[in-house]
């Protein structure tokens, strides 16, 4: 009797990670990584942040009987939309700043003699150092941030809204508080697993092989960031509109 609802709750948590707003957010997070393990860790921290908020709201509603109306979640949803826009703008700013630093750090100009049939002359050439010849200063430009604070913070905000919030509302209706919290924990475990997998999968287009193609990398990052801004704007508009007409 218990096995089926348990598996259903894990499945619901796992698939929750693959909702559109989650995928857009995680793509912008893992696009700065060049190693799948760092992306997977981002997914874990993203899931932990997301689950922390859901569990906190769940404890308030189930154990302490704090009433949070469905109306309030529209404000949370609008906040998530704003976060998606901010995340995309931040990602673009970091990406283009990094490209600018790489160009200014690695480029150098010098002159050398060229001999034609009649005479020698000098002209300028611009060279860029290959990866294997990077010095210490150049390596610092390419060093990636190994912190997962961004992923955890995005997860915290995301836990305030979406179907995760609806899950809390549903679980709050379960008469036995222990059962309600148990299912929230199981749902959260499924979320973390799903977000781990999603982060790993969506980091593949930004792997080292594709990063060797700068044009493709730039197009991917711009495309995912623009989609994130558009979707975030839609989420804000839809929820603020609902608040105005309600």
């Amino acid at each position: 009797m218990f096995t089926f609802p348990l598996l259903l709750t894990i499945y619901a948590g796992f698939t929750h990670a693959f909702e559109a707003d989650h995928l857009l957010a995680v793509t912008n997070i893992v696009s700065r990584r060049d190693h799948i393990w760092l992306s997977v860790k981002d997914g874990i921290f993203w899931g932990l942040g997301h689950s922390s908020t859901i569990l906190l709201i769940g404890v308030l509603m189930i154990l302490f009987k704090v009433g949070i109306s469905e109306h309030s979640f529209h404000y949370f949803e609008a906040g998530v939309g704003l976060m998606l826009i901010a995340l995309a703008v931040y990602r673009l700013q970091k990406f283009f700043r990094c490209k600018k630093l790489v160009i200014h750090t690695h480029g150098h100009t010098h002159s050398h003699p060229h001999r034609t049939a009649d005479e020698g002359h000098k002209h300028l050439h611009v060279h860029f150092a290959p990866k294997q010849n990077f010095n210490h200063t150049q390596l610092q430009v390419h060093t990636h941030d190994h912190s997962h604070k961004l992923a955890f913070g995005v997860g915290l905000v995301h836990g305030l809204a979406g179907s995760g919030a609806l899950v809390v509302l549903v679980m709050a209706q379960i008469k036995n508080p222990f059962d309600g919290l148990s299912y929230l924990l199981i749902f959260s475990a499924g979320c973390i697993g799903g977000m781990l997998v999603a982060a790993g999968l969506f980091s593949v287009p930004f792997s080292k092989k594709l990063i060797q193609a700068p044009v493709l990398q730039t197009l991917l990052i711009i495309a995912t960031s623009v989609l994130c801004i558009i979707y975030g704007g839609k989420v804000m508009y839809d929820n603020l509109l609902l608040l105005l007409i309600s």
Side-chain angles (χ1 to χ4, degrees):
M1 294 292 291
F2 182 72
T3 304
F4 179 71
L6 172 65
L7 293 175
L8 192 61
T9 306
I10 293 175
Y11 175 77
F14 188 88
T15 56
H16 176 67
F18 290 85
E19 293 179 0
D21 56 331
H22 291 149
L23 295 181
L24 285 171
V26 78
T27 301
N28 277 271
I29 292 170
V30 302
S31 65
R32 59 200 182 115
R33 304 300 193 189
D34 61 357
H35 196 287
I36 191 169
W37 172 237
L38 289 175
S39 300
V40 167
K41 286 179 71 177
D42 273 333
I44 294 171
F45 277 87
W46 177 40
L48 287 171
H50 188 282
S51 300
S52 297
T53 306
I54 288 180
L55 288 172
L56 175 61
I57 295 175
V59 168
L60 290 174
M61 294 184 71
I62 296 171
L63 291 185
F64 297 99
K65 306 300 180 183
V66 175
I68 302 177
S69 66
E70 192 172 340
H71 182 81
S72 300
F73 285 109
H74 289 305
Y75 288 105
F76 297 154
E77 285 274 11
V80 169
L82 180 61
M83 180 207 66
L84 289 173
I85 294 171
L87 177 63
V89 171
Y90 171 78
R91 179 68 190 100
L92 288 172
Q93 183 265 334
K94 291 285 285 184
F95 175 68
F96 286 111
R97 182 171 175 269
C98 182
K99 284 180 71 72
K100 186 177 179 181
L101 282 172
V102 169
I103 290 172
H104 283 296
T105 305
H106 298 214
H108 65 276
T109 306
H110 68 271
S111 62
H112 64 81
H114 249 253
R115 184 165 298 279
T116 63
D118 301 318
E119 60 182 37
H121 66 277
K122 293 184 178 181
H123 58 199
L124 295 177
H125 285 263
V126 178
H127 293 267
F128 293 91
K131 286 187 175 181
Q132 61 268 27
N133 293 330
F134 285 171
N135 58 31
H136 179 67
T137 304
Q138 291 167 330
L139 282 172
Q140 287 182 329
V141 174
H142 280 280
T143 298
H144 289 275
D145 179 14
H146 286 204
S147 169
H148 302 282
K149 293 178 182 177
L150 176 63
F152 186 79
V154 170
L156 282 175
V157 177
H158 248 138
L160 289 170
S163 60
L166 294 178
V167 167
V168 174
L169 290 173
V170 172
M171 296 304 173
Q173 305 306 313
I174 297 177
K175 292 182 179 180
N176 187 333
F178 177 78
D179 289 344
L181 290 175
S182 296
Y183 276 102
L184 277 182
L185 284 169
I186 294 164
F187 178 85
S188 297
C191 268
I192 294 171
M195 291 172 177
L196 180 157
V197 172
L201 287 175
F202 280 80
S203 70
V204 172
F206 304 96
S207 63
K208 288 183 178 179
K209 287 185 178 179
L210 287 180
I211 286 178
Q212 300 297 326
V215 174
L216 181 57
Q217 180 199 34
T218 301
L219 288 174
L220 280 171
I221 290 174
I222 291 175
T224 54
S225 297
V226 169
L227 282 173
C228 199
I229 291 170
I230 293 171
Y231 191 86
K234 181 180 182 302
V235 170
M236 283 188 67
Y237 174 80
D238 289 346
N239 285 278
L240 292 176
L241 184 64
L242 285 171
L243 287 168
L244 287 172
I245 62 178
S246 60

